[in-house]
Amino acid sequence: MSNELSVILQNSANLIQTGLDEDTLAVAGGAINSGNKRISIRGKAFRKVVGGKEVSVSENNYMDVVIVKMAHTASRTFYAQQYKEGEKISPTCWSSDSRVPDIDVKTPQSKTCDTCQFSAKNSGANGTGTACRLSWRMAVVLPNDPAGDVMQLVLPATSCFGKEEGGKYPFRPYIQMLANNNVSAGRVVTRMQFDAKASTPKVVFSPSAAVNANDLELLQRQGKSAAAESAVKLTVYQTDSTGEEEVTTQEAVTPKADVVDEPVLRSTEEAKPQVLNNASDVMKKWSVKT
């Protein structure tokens, strides 16, 4: 930050905005630095990571959040190189919508994701899962600090799809359940919990409480902030032809082998989300302690 701007902000702190205007966001583009705050689920623990460094670990196997923004579709990344601990690796191919490779992919592996050999079942390491990894991005805040940090959460495929069990849902069925009951995701406090039966970190979701009505306007602004926009956007680590880092990337991606089967997005046999009969049924279900 320049000395001039520091002086201005000291005298006019109200200049700092939760959400930047569209022109500023458009011109700033990938240069926006929101501190890269995110929630990691590594090792079956909810960890807060800032600028690539872990700053705190939750002692509970659950975490309550409010979802302020979600990517509209899952994304995909394929790494031809083998993962090595701590090494920055550039993906070979990626897709922001899980349908076609992004326009800036230099070596697309297929014209479409659903016809790609690397998104086929059992194409992953040791003949399990898929070589091209699917994930879903969202931006969340803590319900007790709605004006605080907007954090990125990236979910693996195993946390995104599947069936409800015991009132707990994978991510997409959870959002479908809310939608079928005319409830927007940003109007409830969502409880994330680790599935104790899963061998790898798998998060399931359930509604915990209604969002404080006085916070709704603030949460909407948080969802329009630069941090939220950045959190739901797929950004990858790339190098140019000389091996130097490209300046347009925001963070390094260090993939780990995914040895679980991923669902096929085009499948017509997805589990139907639960429809509760009325609003009182919804509130009764929320009141059940987990």
Side-chain angles (χ1 to χ4, degrees), residues 2-262:
S2 70
N3 292 333
E4 292 83 359
L5 184 56
S6 297
V7 173
I8 293 172
L9 292 179
Q10 286 176 4
N11 297 325
S12 304
N14 62 336
L15 284 178
I16 299 177
Q17 300 165 268
T18 299
L20 298 173
D21 61 51
E22 293 183 4
D23 289 347
T24 304
L25 283 172
V27 176
I32 298 171
N33 180 11
S34 61
N36 189 22
K37 301 178 177 68
R38 60 187 177 89
I39 296 172
S40 168
I41 60 173
R42 180 176 57 86
K44 290 190 174 183
F46 294 108
R47 308 166 187 269
K48 183 175 181 180
V49 179
V50 178
K53 296 182 179 180
E54 184 178 298
V55 297
S56 64
V57 182
S58 173
E59 297 180 354
N60 301 316
N61 72 337
Y62 70 88
M63 185 176 190
D64 289 342
V65 297
V66 179
I67 301 171
V68 295
K69 193 171 184 63
M70 302 174 283
H72 292 181
T73 60
S75 57
R76 282 192 174 275
T77 48
F78 168 66
Y79 295 84
Q81 293 176 267
Q82 186 176 2
Y83 169 73
K84 295 181 181 179
E85 186 70 31
E87 181 179 341
K88 294 180 180 180
I89 302 175
S90 177
T92 302
C93 189
W94 60 92
S95 170
S96 296
D97 62 8
S98 296
R99 296 183 175 90
V100 297
D102 283 8
I103 192 170
D104 52 343
V105 175
K106 298 175 182 177
T107 55
Q109 301 300 293
S110 178
K111 289 185 178 180
T112 63
C113 294
D114 61 2
T115 59
C116 180
Q117 61 176 321
F118 298 114
S119 65
K121 185 177 180 180
N122 300 329
S123 62
N126 301 318
T128 59
T130 60
C132 186
R133 299 168 60 230
L134 186 148
S135 58
W136 211 306
R137 287 162 169 74
M138 71 187 77
V140 303
V141 297
L142 299 180
N144 60 353
D145 188 19
D149 291 336
V150 175
M151 295 172 285
Q152 181 190 58
L153 176 64
V154 182
L155 296 172
T158 48
S159 298
C160 296
F161 305 95
K163 297 180 180 180
E164 175 266 346
E165 185 175 345
K168 299 177 180 63
Y169 301 77
F171 173 66
R172 191 162 185 249
Y174 171 65
I175 300 301
Q176 289 174 321
M177 182 275 291
L178 292 178
N180 281 342
N181 288 280
N182 296 317
V183 177
S184 294
R187 301 180 75 90
V188 296
V189 176
T190 293
R191 174 156 294 185
M192 308 188 300
Q193 294 176 266
F194 287 104
D195 185 342
K197 296 180 296 183
S199 58
T200 57
K202 176 183 177 182
V203 178
V204 290
F205 300 80
S206 60
S208 176
V211 164
N212 189 322
N214 295 328
D215 294 333
L216 289 175
E217 185 176 345
L218 170 61
L219 291 169
Q220 289 178 354
R221 292 200 302 271
Q222 289 279 57
K224 296 178 181 178
S225 67
E229 294 285 349
S230 177
V232 301
K233 182 180 179 182
L234 173 64
T235 55
V236 298
Y237 170 81
Q238 300 178 65
T239 57
D240 62 21
S241 58
T242 66
E244 296 295 327
E245 294 183 20
E246 292 184 355
V247 297
T248 56
T249 56
Q250 294 183 355
E251 64 176 305
V253 179
T254 52
K256 292 187 178 180
D258 189 356
V259 296
V260 294
D261 288 342
E262 293 181 355

